[in-house]
Amino acid sequence: MSSVASISGATGSDFTALETKAKQMGATTAFSATEAANAMEYMAMAGWKTTDMVSGIDGIMNLAAASGADLAQTSDIVTDGLTAFGMKASERFADVMAAASANANTNVEMMGETFKYVGAAAGAMGYSIEDMAVATGLMANAGIKGSQAGTALRSTITRLAKPTKEAQTAMDALGLTVTNSDGSMKSFGTIMGDMRKGMQGMTEDQKAAYAAMLGGQEAMSGLLAIANASDEDFNKLTSAIQDSSGAAQEMAAIKLDNLQGDVTILKSGLEGLG
């Protein structure tokens, strides 16, 4: 907590609020107060204020408990992701990651690695975390994960924003635009849907050619994963992520609803008692 105070500059009632929250988390969750304080360090380094840390740590701890990931690492991933996407501290980011990891072949660490590469580009275009999570999940289901997925998405977003000659040719052929008729930006989810529609009925060779033209060689396999996903898988993942409110808390509760979970929470509470 002294480290948190030195980084965040919290003093007086602010420091007391943070210390009290860390102790509360230690007594009531699978993580100790010390681990909660370590998570707060990453929040402080990301520039979070006391109110942000107090309100945001629940979602991060639920996400870590639900996924089985290290708490401090999860905090680092979430704070970095929120900054990249230009989002404020909230549980929404944690819920989206929890839903994506539960409904696609990926996990929090791999999604964090993906967002490390694509987050800033997506945030600059105003693309939502929900749409990027859907794209990440569909790629992960085809074995394209971590930095590979992030590089593919970043390359695609860059070429959509400033198309090369061949990218523009592919966009014209597939009927893709990044803006609506009134000049407003389309969501990345809409663009994915348009691309899937534009590639319907094409041979695999044609799809591969347009995917390479649209996103470049390094993005081709990722775009094909999105294009070739069945409507059922696409709609199921999209629905799960859009309706993910409370997902991290619910998953954490289910995972700890057993004897091992009870023992884990008891150990956490004993550290607080000590």
Side-chain angles (χ1 to χ4, degrees):
M1 289 309 305
S2 295
S3 179
V4 172
S6 69
I7 298 170
S8 67
T11 58
S13 60
D14 282 346
F15 179 76
T16 300
L18 291 174
E19 186 176 41
T20 300
K21 186 66 175 181
K23 289 179 179 179
Q24 177 196 341
M25 292 291 96
T28 59
T29 71
F31 299 101
S32 67
T34 302
E35 289 173 313
N38 288 337
M40 286 181 178
E41 282 190 81
Y42 285 100
M43 297 178 192
M45 286 189 282
W48 287 27
K49 304 303 180 185
T50 298
T51 52
D52 293 330
M53 287 190 270
V54 171
S55 63
I57 193 169
D58 292 82
I60 290 173
M61 294 183 78
N62 283 328
L63 178 60
S67 64
D70 175 76
L71 177 58
Q73 182 184 16
T74 302
S75 179
D76 191 27
I77 289 170
V78 172
T79 52
D80 285 351
L82 285 169
T83 300
F85 280 91
M87 297 172 65
K88 294 182 179 180
S90 70
E91 294 188 19
R92 181 61 182 160
F93 195 93
D95 285 337
V96 168
M97 293 193 76
S101 63
N103 290 276
N105 189 17
T106 187
N107 58 36
V108 171
E109 291 94 334
M110 286 188 286
M111 290 186 71
E113 187 70 12
T114 297
F115 294 156
K116 184 189 300 183
Y117 283 79
V118 72
M125 293 291 286
Y127 295 148
S128 71
I129 176 61
E130 289 86 353
D131 286 347
M132 300 315 299
V134 171
T136 300
L138 293 173
M139 289 185 180
N141 287 341
I144 302 162
K145 307 176 185 181
S147 60
Q148 185 182 4
T151 301
L153 286 170
R154 182 179 62 187
S155 176
T156 300
I157 290 173
T158 301
R159 290 165 73 105
L160 285 171
K162 188 177 181 181
T164 61
K165 185 176 180 179
E166 67 173 5
Q168 187 62 60
T169 300
M171 290 173 69
D172 292 341
L174 297 172
L176 296 184
T177 59
V178 296
T179 57
N180 295 302
S181 57
D182 61 1
S184 60
M185 292 292 294
K186 285 185 177 180
S187 70
F188 194 72
T190 299
I191 294 173
M192 282 192 292
D194 290 344
M195 182 189 71
R196 286 167 54 82
K197 184 178 179 180
M199 288 188 177
Q200 280 182 350
M202 288 186 176
T203 65
E204 293 305 315
D205 287 346
Q206 288 174 321
K207 289 181 182 179
Y210 280 121
M213 292 168 67
L214 183 61
Q217 293 294 329
E218 61 186 7
M220 180 182 73
S221 56
L223 290 178
L224 287 175
I226 295 173
N228 290 330
S230 68
D231 288 341
E232 181 182 359
D233 288 344
F234 183 87
N235 293 333
K236 178 184 176 183
L237 181 58
T238 299
S239 178
I241 288 174
Q242 293 294 343
D243 300 331
S244 61
S245 181
Q249 182 178 10
E250 182 180 354
M251 289 169 62
I254 293 172
K255 191 163 186 177
L256 292 171
D257 187 20
N258 51 60
L259 180 58
Q260 184 178 356
D262 293 340
V263 172
T264 299
I265 293 175
L266 175 62
K267 289 179 179 178
S268 177
L270 286 173
E271 192 213 43
L273 177 64

